[in-house]
Amino acid sequence: MKVTKYLAAVLGLACTAWASADDFRARLPQDEVIYFLLPDRFENGDPKNDRGGLKGDRLKTGFDPTHKGFYHGGDLRGLIQRLDYIQGLGATAIWLGPIYKNKPVQGAPGQESAGYHGYWITDFTRVDDHFGSQQDMKDLVEHAHARGIKVYLDIITNHTADVISYRQCPGSECAYRSRADYPYGKAGGTNGASINDGFLGDSVQTDANFAKLKRADFAYDVFVPAAEASVKVPAWLNDPIWYHNRGNSLFRGESSTMGDFAGLDDLMTENPRVAQGFIDIYGQWIEEFGVDGFRIDTARHVNSEFWQAFAPAMLKKAAARGIPNFHIFGEVAAEVVDIPSLTRATRVDKLPTVLDFAFRAAVIDALTLKTGPDKLAAMFSGDTLYEGGEATAMQLPTFVSNHDAGRFGFYARKNLPGVSDAEVLQRMILAHAMMFTLRGVPVIYSGDEQGFAGDGIDQDAREDMFPSRVASYNDNVLLGTKATTAVSNFDRGHPVYQAIVELSALRKEHAALRRGKQIVRNYAEKPGLFAVSRVDPQTQREILIAFNTSTEPLQVNVEVDARTHAFRSLKGRCAPQPSAPGSYKVTLEPLSYVVCAAQDET
């Protein structure tokens, strides 16, 4: 499929208007289309850095392109080479998976894997050699900015790589030990020797109080192996006193913010010294590289007081660097529509925005289960609960696939056994249409636009865009193509890529789809209609978007503004006038959508 002359013209005008290096900073967060990628899995621009400058086998270098849990060779140079592909899709911002120096390999014998994903940081101040150099990072930002593309960094403050060890338990399989059973004032339990005299606990978050926390062996006898005694940068991170050291998180109760995330060293972010340390670390990335935003990993596992200090400091640093619309969004992961957790992160933690996991859950339910799109309506009804209300909700990055939770195509196949791949493809395109036209900031996960569906979550959803040598990737049946992951997948003619090009152009052309107030109009309680209006903030004219989530044709009346007397089609078949004041008849093919714009009556 090729881009039509009309779309090419629209997209060309949009790119010209939006991609100027002089005005891209003026775009609001809700104006963006974000493309998310893990550098290791995107493109290999420099094979010389595949082993990160290390020697030995995969357990030393982390490099094994045949294994889904090791480095494959993608790097920043490769990303620079593919910027035209990303821009051609209509993306205006790149969310870059973590690029900091990682522990190359960790895990118990026989269970090792590599830090290809970037979340096992040892040096927070430099680019991992597997991905390139500091200069490569500067070049990436420079090349992206020259195209008007913003660069968002994925950052981690909750933990470092697994370096600290506990003598009471081998490896990283250490049970969580609570503050009640293992208080800070006793070594190894309530009957232990008195330590940390005068320390009032982690709730008194002052420098004076934490100065009295001198020993880290309140729960476990901690030590750092000699070979890794100075592996972390900045150097202060090598001292166990800056960590919780209470064993593995149960992901509930106090352990949610104080336990080790699967053995990773959990930072004591309640300590003002740790908070200031990370303000300094990530402030330097803004200062040195001029990046445009942060996605915050594991935000729900860090205490509120940390975010209350950190987020304003980053916004202040960005403003001083001439970045007025710095976009910060935290990961508050959930498999279901969990509005309270998301809104709490903005109201209590004071994070500017969060990744919209509720949107993901509602869309997957509506399009892959035999439920109605009324779940979408219920989810959107929570928008007023965010700090800042609907204005904040408009800036939430929305997504249907990612590297942790898995791809939309995987859930469609899993939840709809026996359904044809042609129908799964329709559903995938419809999911992206929802993401681009409903409130929020659309996030495309690299590979979705090439029909990747994956085999599951985590490593099974992290396929290579460049030719892969992983057998469990290469046997996947991709959607909308006869290609496999064994070949390079940067096909601009792919039907999902083309659908996103069209949606991007539509979104860029119409401010209502980026900044317009959203009014949920009508919805079904079984597969069928979901309709909203987006109201242009300047003209106050509505754009009606209607989706059919069923496999049957649909003709139904939808509520519209009674003052609207005429419509024109932006996508699909749109009747020229309402049927009656305030009522508009839409006709929808199965698994399709229409976009109808109000206009002056002629």
Side-chain angles (χ1 to χ4, degrees):
M1 186 186 297
K2 295 184 178 179
V3 182
T4 65
K5 289 183 179 179
Y6 167 75
L7 280 178
V10 169
L11 187 58
L13 288 172
C15 286
T16 300
W18 280 52
S20 168
D22 296 327
D23 65 8
F24 76 96
R25 296 279 200 203
R27 294 199 308 260
L28 299 178
Q30 58 264 45
D31 289 337
E32 310 301 342
V33 172
I34 303 172
Y35 188 82
F36 167 51
L37 61 94
L38 293 176
D40 181 65
R41 303 300 164 91
F42 191 64
E43 181 63 288
N44 191 345
D46 184 5
K48 294 191 297 295
N49 62 29
D50 287 355
R51 291 171 173 78
L54 303 171
K55 298 185 182 299
D57 62 13
R58 73 179 191 178
L59 297 184
K60 298 292 185 182
T61 69
F63 178 68
D64 181 356
T66 69
H67 192 292
K68 64 184 179 180
F70 284 76
Y71 285 97
H72 292 175
D75 51 36
L76 297 179
R77 282 284 141 201
L79 174 53
I80 291 170
Q81 293 169 13
R82 293 292 184 180
L83 286 176
D84 190 61
Y85 167 88
I86 294 172
Q87 187 173 33
L89 190 59
T92 62
I94 294 170
W95 159 12
L96 187 61
I99 42 77
Y100 322 98
K101 183 175 177 59
N102 267 230
K103 188 171 183 176
V105 177
Q106 63 182 46
Q111 300 177 9
E112 302 93 346
S113 63
Y116 70 92
H117 43 67
Y119 295 103
W120 298 343
I121 305 173
T122 54
D123 187 342
F124 286 81
T125 68
R126 56 173 287 202
V127 173
D128 192 290
D129 291 327
H130 289 88
F131 301 143
S133 65
Q134 302 295 94
Q135 187 59 51
D136 289 335
M137 182 64 194
K138 289 179 180 178
D139 289 347
L140 169 62
V141 174
E142 180 180 345
H143 281 82
H145 284 176
R147 294 172 175 268
I149 298 174
K150 296 181 179 180
V151 177
Y152 298 161
L153 288 183
D154 204 319
I155 68 169
I156 302 94
T157 66
N158 176 64
H159 57 262
T160 72
D162 184 10
V163 174
I164 297 173
S165 294
Y166 307 147
R167 286 194 169 87
Q168 288 91 333
C169 46
S172 58
E173 298 303 316
C174 303
Y176 184 76
R177 292 184 168 180
S178 72
R179 289 175 293 188
D181 292 330
Y182 294 86
Y184 291 109
K186 293 287 186 176
T190 56
N191 295 324
S194 294
I195 59 174
N196 300 322
D197 185 43
F199 181 61
L200 299 177
D202 51 64
S203 63
V204 181
Q205 295 174 14
T206 64
D207 290 320
N209 183 47
F210 274 91
K212 298 172 184 176
L213 183 66
K214 299 181 183 299
R215 286 177 55 173
D217 56 342
F218 37 82
Y220 283 102
D221 187 3
V222 301
F223 70 98
V224 176
E228 297 181 295
S230 59
V231 71
K232 294 181 184 179
V233 180
W236 63 268
L237 287 165
N238 292 296
D239 190 337
I241 201 65
W242 309 119
Y243 299 82
H244 286 124
N245 303 315
R246 290 188 174 275
N248 282 340
S249 178
L250 302 170
F251 301 107
R252 63 181 184 273
E254 72 173 60
S255 79
S256 181
T257 57
M258 306 192 76
D260 296 344
F261 195 112
L264 299 169
D265 299 349
D266 196 72
L267 285 147
M268 189 176 281
T269 45
E270 296 84 359
N271 191 323
R273 172 67 181 88
V274 174
Q276 187 57 52
F278 277 94
I279 288 171
D280 294 341
I281 286 169
Y282 289 116
Q284 184 58 36
W285 283 90
I286 296 173
E287 179 64 32
E288 183 175 353
F289 296 96
V291 295
D292 306 282
F294 288 154
R295 178 267 189 182
I296 301 173
D297 181 64
T298 52
R300 73 183 306 156
H301 302 301
V302 175
N303 60 297
S304 298
E305 296 87 351
F306 178 93
W307 298 128
Q308 291 164 9
F310 181 86
M314 294 302 97
L315 294 174
K316 182 178 180 181
K317 174 66 75 171
R321 182 65 164 75
I323 308 169
N325 294 306
F326 196 79
H327 198 183
I328 296 176
F329 47 101
E331 179 200 29
V332 182
E335 295 182 2
V336 297
V337 177
D338 182 4
I339 298 298
S341 292
L342 293 175
T343 56
R344 183 187 187 280
T346 64
R347 284 198 170 271
V348 179
D349 299 346
K350 300 300 182 182
L351 289 172
T353 62
V354 289
L355 271 171
D356 198 347
F357 276 83
F359 179 92
R360 169 192 170 271
V363 170
I364 287 177
D365 283 358
L367 292 182
T368 74
L369 297 174
K370 294 180 180 180
T371 60
D374 53 322
K375 283 192 175 182
L376 280 164
M379 183 269 295
F380 286 128
S381 71
D383 283 357
T384 56
L385 301 177
Y386 291 96
E387 184 72 22
E390 293 175 345
T392 295
M394 204 175 296
Q395 296 187 357
L396 304 182
T398 56
F399 67 103
V400 296
S401 302
N402 80 2
H403 60 316
D404 290 328
R407 296 186 184 274
F408 176 88
F410 165 75
Y411 289 97
R413 283 173 167 167
K414 176 184 176 183
N415 296 337
L416 297 165
V419 167
S420 71
D421 279 353
E423 182 176 318
V424 173
L425 179 64
Q426 278 186 288
R427 292 176 184 272
M428 177 183 276
I429 291 173
L430 191 59
H432 281 80
M434 288 181 169
M435 197 167 71
F436 272 78
T437 58
L438 298 174
R439 72 97 181 101
V441 186
V443 179
I444 308 155
Y445 177 37
S446 66
D448 265 22
E449 79 279 10
Q450 295 297 324
F452 289 13
D455 289 324
I457 65 172
D458 196 75
Q459 294 178 8
D460 290 325
R462 299 174 179 178
E463 307 95 319
D464 303 304
M465 293 285 285
F466 60 99
S468 183
R469 294 171 57 189
V470 178
S472 64
Y473 294 163
N474 293 342
D475 66 5
N476 291 350
V477 176
L478 307 188
L479 299 166
T481 179
K482 293 181 179 179
T484 72
T485 57
V487 300
S488 183
N489 279 278
F490 294 95
D491 177 14
R492 299 193 192 203
H494 190 284
V496 181
Y497 186 101
Q498 287 292 300
I500 293 174
V501 168
E502 182 178 9
L503 287 161
S504 295
L506 198 64
R507 181 178 168 84
K508 290 171 183 175
E509 187 179 7
H510 299 280
L513 300 180
R514 307 188 309 272
R515 303 183 181 186
K517 176 181 174 63
Q518 177 170 288
I519 303 170
V520 175
R521 293 296 193 186
N522 300 92
Y523 52 87
E525 295 181 355
K526 60 182 181 179
L529 175 71
F530 183 71
V532 306
S533 289
R534 301 292 304 274
V535 181
D536 188 290
Q538 297 298 321
T539 67
Q540 297 302 306
R541 289 178 179 167
E542 68 184 313
I543 293 181
L544 177 71
I545 308 118
F547 305 91
N548 181 4
T549 68
S550 78
T551 54
E552 300 295 330
L554 187 66
Q555 190 173 77
V556 63
N557 292 321
V558 174
E559 183 183 7
V560 293
D561 191 317
R563 296 167 295 182
T564 300
H565 300 295
F567 285 92
R568 66 184 176 95
S569 171
L570 301 180
K571 171 69 178 180
R573 291 191 297 169
C574 296
Q577 281 118 10
S579 308
S583 180
Y584 184 68
K585 183 173 289 186
V586 296
T587 302
L588 290 158
E589 296 301 316
L591 299 173
S592 71
Y593 68 101
V594 296
V595 183
C596 308
Q599 61 176 354
D600 292 334
E601 192 171 13
T602 58

